[in-house]
Amino acid sequence: MTRTRPNRTLTTRTAVVAGAVGALVLTGAGTASAETEVAEPSTFTSAFTAMATPDMVVDTDGVPTPGEPGASGSFMYRINSDLEIICYDITLDGVTPPYQSPAKTSTHIHEAARGQSGPPRIALPDPQDDGTGKLVSSGCLQGPFTTGLAPEGTDTGEGFSLAEIEADPAAFFTDNHTAAFPSGAVRGQLTQVPVEGIDTGAGGTAGDGPSGAPLAALGGSLALAGAAALGLRRRALRS
């Protein structure tokens, strides 16, 4: 299956790929693996955050199926869509492994609107215990992306472009799956946040929200705190 990469004007998509991911076929080994690990690029075209909670989880039919009680997840993503690189900082609190998913990892970015089910497009390394009881994962991956799932004979990541997230971030969510909560322990929709004052991929400036509105209109204090935490953590990892 071949997708047409959105041009840099990145107009809002008119359709969201939703629908169940049921009857998925595993195309690769089931242990945690991901795309090519690369160094952090010097620039990014956009950044996104998701505050994931158990009440956001739905099953493959779109039926609300709450995840792990009391769990939460902080997902921070920075993207350079020109290089097809995504950098991730993930912290899960109150999520209980073991992880479980028919995909090659149990931590994903899916394509679906809030309250809907949709296929994974990116499989991310699963967070591991940092010694404090929190599960963390951080790094950068470069496409092409694969998930290990092929419900129609084609991997659900094949042909996917990070520019698609930039075009319509609300059409994507991120989650984590465990053996006890296979539909998802936590889930959250992506929200755009500023990134270093540069143009975002969505035709606005880094201080703009997904449709050009000031970040404050999106509940800016949370988004700014997330962006700041991401920057601090990156610096700490380098030291």
Side-chain angles (χ1 to χ4, degrees), residues 15-231:
V16 176
V17 177
V21 193
L24 295 175
V25 178
L26 182 63
T27 61
T31 55
S33 60
E35 310 314 303
T36 305
E37 292 274 359
V38 295
E40 180 179 314
S42 58
T43 60
F44 296 91
T45 54
S46 59
F48 304 89
T49 186
M51 303 309 295
T53 56
D55 60 291
M56 295 288 289
V57 178
V58 301
D59 66 13
T60 55
D61 295 319
V63 177
T65 308
E68 185 161 4
S72 63
S74 173
F75 294 78
M76 309 288 181
Y77 297 121
R78 289 188 290 173
I79 286 174
N80 183 317
S81 57
D82 296 321
L83 300 176
E84 288 295 329
I85 292 176
I86 181 169
C87 294
Y88 57 91
D89 287 89
I90 302 169
T91 299
L92 301 178
D93 194 0
V95 172
T96 306
Y99 299 119
Q100 180 176 299
S101 172
K104 63 185 183 179
T105 74
S106 296
T107 306
H108 312 131
I109 295 177
H110 292 252
E111 185 171 5
R114 183 183 298 268
Q116 297 182 8
S117 172
R121 298 304 187 196
I122 300 176
L124 296 149
D126 295 321
Q128 303 300 317
D129 195 326
D130 67 354
T132 70
K134 291 186 177 181
L135 304 170
V136 300
S137 182
S138 182
C140 299
L141 302 177
Q142 184 169 35
F145 301 100
T146 58
T147 66
L149 298 177
E152 298 177 356
T154 300
D155 189 281
T156 61
E158 185 174 331
F160 175 74
S161 167
L162 293 171
E164 296 179 55
I165 295 177
E166 294 181 322
D168 190 3
F172 292 85
F173 72 88
T174 189
D175 66 358
N176 174 266
H177 305 263
T178 65
F181 298 94
S183 293
V186 292
R187 165 179 166 156
Q189 295 297 128
L190 299 191
T191 298
Q192 189 169 354
V193 295
V195 53
E196 302 174 350
I198 63 174
D199 289 341
T200 69
T205 64
D208 292 338
S211 56
L215 184 65
L218 302 173
S221 58
L222 176 61
L224 286 171
L230 184 151

